[in-house]
Amino acid sequence: MQATAILLAAGFGTRMKSALPKTLHKIAGRSMLRHLIASCEAVFDRIVVVLGPEMDAVAKEAAPHICVIQHERLGTAHAALRAMEHFGTGEVAVLYADNPLIRPETMRRLLERRRAGDSGLALLAFRPSDPGRYGRVIMQDGHVARIVEWVDATSTERSIDLCNAGVLCAGAEDMARWLVAVRADNTKGEYYLTDVVALARAEQVRVAAVEAPAEELAGVNSRVELAAAEAVVQSWLRHAAMEAGVTMIDPSSVFLRADTQLEPDVTIEPNVVFGDGVKVARGTVVRAFSHLDGCEVGPDCIVGPYARLRPGTVLERDVHVGNFVEVKAATLGAGVKASHLTYLGDASVGAGTNIGAGTITCNYDGFDKHRTTIGARVFIGSDTVLVAPVSVGDGAFVGAGSVITEDVAPDALALGRGRQVQKPNRAAEFRAAKARTAKERKRS
């Protein structure tokens, strides 16, 4: 018997005030839909996503899972019913794609409670700090007696802080029967999923409430709620990293992605931002105000402060990338030092090489990108410009202030600067001339 998750993702999301579909807005670099799918993949055997018409971008995000279309937006029960042919023979849970933070552990508890045998329907409930206008869950003898919407609740019922999250789980046959029986006899003329609870109780079916943390069940319908969800996920990611052996000097100032990989004994200083696809190996220190994106950092490296590692960057063991250094699509071999004020783009740098301050690789000619190859044990003097495509052989020296446009042989010394010209006393003569001019202007 399979467990199937039905994810409702057909809503417009008008409160987001965005051309982007609501469920594609990101939390920790991952769309809301993918957050929910990732949790469901850990628990359910099948995932079906219900979309509205012309939501190709959402369908692409949901791949490779089944997608069905709700051509008319007639409510949540109507949306869930569009997926009925995929219910299978086991349990069916209906969830909302704009409620993306439900963790796998909570989903498992929901399934286990339904399978315990004493309840034909299970729902998720929570106790928010401000119950507001949420529907209240009325309990009796350990089971749900009914759900009362806020507008219909008495003052006593409104004082109850156990609220309905809207997530339901039942056997496939029961869920299909109840969804078909839902009626649109309300002011909006819509088919509401919550009516399933009353239909189950009318059949004398027991309904179980599985209580979950409020931070998992708060929906995201606006930019304000999106920011609140981001804060929740960041707190989870930081906590998980520190539990796994990562040191964070000021955790609240560090921003991670859902896919950030940090090994034990990594140290993260304050105000560090991680983009997508970052891996940092054991023993590395990422210093303050650095930004890492799409890169792989080896063991025992030092990154920053104020460093930027862009996509395609690979730092091997014991690499030092210092303040105001930017690296893009480049591999820096073991022991490379680029301590300050440097840009290394589309480059390969061999082990043990030292890159002087102010060095840049000129990788773009206005049309194409070109690579710079620097060998092992090379010394690149300060303020060097390497005009790609160009290579510098192992053991070579490049003098400070050079513009290198031709390949440098191994163990060679390359100098690419203009000859210095000195004019004796010209500085004093210049100052005297300026002073005379100033006096003449003052007299006139």
Side-chain angles (χ1 to χ4, degrees):
M1 295 176 65
Q2 290 186 323
T4 300
I6 309 301
L7 312 187
L8 306 186
F12 285 118
T14 54
R15 287 173 57 195
M16 298 297 286
K17 294 181 172 60
S18 175
L20 186 70
K22 176 170 61 172
T23 60
L24 297 187
H25 285 266
K26 293 185 177 182
I27 301 169
R30 176 184 288 172
S31 72
M32 289 198 287
L33 180 60
R34 288 309 308 182
H35 273 284
L36 188 58
I37 285 175
S39 292
C40 288
E41 286 174 338
V43 178
F44 293 93
D45 303 294
R46 180 192 293 116
I47 296 171
V48 183
V49 182
V50 182
L51 310 176
E54 299 181 359
M55 297 183 75
D56 294 344
V58 182
K60 183 178 180 180
E61 188 76 352
H65 299 292
I66 299 166
C67 290
V68 298
I69 307 300
Q70 182 190 23
H71 292 284
E72 296 180 275
R73 290 177 169 87
L74 298 178
T76 50
H78 179 265
L81 200 56
R82 300 310 95 198
M84 187 172 66
E85 65 178 290
H86 302 290
F87 279 8
T89 57
E91 277 79 24
V92 172
V94 182
L95 306 100
Y96 300 85
D98 58 6
N99 197 177
L101 304 189
I102 304 175
R103 305 182 95 168
E105 296 81 2
T106 297
M107 295 180 182
R108 289 192 188 97
R109 289 197 296 117
L110 181 69
L111 274 178
E112 289 166 2
R113 187 72 178 84
R114 218 306 288 174
R115 289 170 172 171
D118 66 337
S119 303
L121 177 68
L123 60 81
L124 288 183
F126 65 119
R127 300 180 191 271
S129 56
D130 179 12
R133 302 178 71 88
Y134 284 109
R136 302 307 201 262
V137 179
I138 311 301
M139 301 293 293
Q140 183 178 348
D141 299 326
H143 285 82
V144 177
R146 66 188 188 281
I147 294 174
V148 181
E149 296 303 326
W150 186 87
V151 294
D152 301 319
T154 66
S155 58
T156 300
E157 290 168 337
R158 288 179 182 180
S159 69
I160 296 170
D161 64 353
L162 186 64
C163 297
N164 176 36
V167 176
L168 300 179
C169 181
E173 184 177 338
D174 290 337
M175 182 68 82
R177 183 176 69 258
W178 293 328
L179 288 173
V180 169
V182 171
R183 293 290 175 260
D185 50 0
N186 52 69
T187 56
K188 288 189 176 181
E190 293 186 357
Y191 300 85
Y192 293 138
L193 183 64
T194 50
D195 289 352
V196 166
V197 175
L199 291 168
R201 294 293 296 125
E203 294 181 7
Q204 305 301 311
V205 173
R206 287 182 172 180
V207 180
V210 176
E211 193 169 338
E215 62 183 8
E216 292 187 33
L217 298 178
V220 178
N221 297 291
S222 68
R223 306 284 184 147
V224 172
E225 291 171 349
L226 184 68
E230 180 76 36
V232 168
V233 173
Q234 288 298 331
S235 70
W236 292 349
L237 294 172
R238 294 163 188 151
H239 184 270
M242 290 185 286
E243 285 291 321
V246 174
T247 294
M248 293 187 183
I249 308 302
D250 180 16
S252 65
S253 70
V254 175
F255 289 85
L256 304 169
R257 286 292 197 270
D259 65 354
T260 302
Q261 298 180 40
L262 306 174
E263 291 188 358
D265 290 325
V266 167
T267 297
I268 309 296
E269 292 186 358
N271 298 295
V272 172
V273 176
F274 291 87
D276 296 334
V278 176
K279 299 179 181 179
V280 183
R282 184 184 297 268
T284 284
V285 177
V286 182
R287 290 182 169 159
F289 295 99
S290 294
H291 188 287
L292 289 74
D293 187 13
C295 60
E296 184 172 344
V297 181
D300 303 316
C301 294
I302 297 176
V303 177
Y306 295 97
R308 185 182 182 197
L309 304 185
R310 292 171 57 191
T313 294
V314 176
L315 308 186
E316 297 181 0
R317 178 182 294 275
D318 193 32
V319 172
H320 292 191
V321 172
N323 48 291
F324 303 105
V325 174
E326 180 178 352
V327 186
K328 188 271 294 183
T331 299
L332 277 57
V336 167
K337 305 293 188 292
S339 296
H340 31 227
L341 302 166
T342 289
Y343 171 68
L344 299 173
D346 297 282
S348 300
V349 182
T353 286
N354 186 86
I355 306 293
T359 295
I360 63 171
T361 57
C362 294
N363 55 328
Y364 184 52
D365 63 8
F367 298 93
D368 299 302
K369 298 289 182 69
H370 303 280
R371 289 195 68 80
T372 297
T373 302
I374 302 172
R377 304 175 311 281
V378 171
F379 178 86
I380 303 292
S382 296
D383 202 28
T384 292
V385 176
L386 298 155
V387 182
V390 71
S391 66
V392 180
D394 293 348
F397 275 49
V398 176
S402 293
V403 177
I404 301 300
T405 58
E406 299 178 359
D407 291 348
V408 178
D411 295 316
L413 169 62
L415 301 171
R417 47 177 115 121
R419 182 178 297 276
Q420 180 173 317
V421 176
Q422 183 169 298
K423 304 292 185 179
N425 297 317
R426 285 295 299 274
E429 293 171 1
F430 178 79
R431 286 192 293 271
K434 284 291 185 181
R436 286 194 299 272
T437 302
K439 287 180 181 179
E440 290 171 357
R441 287 176 178 169
K442 190 175 182 180
R443 284 196 296 267
S444 63

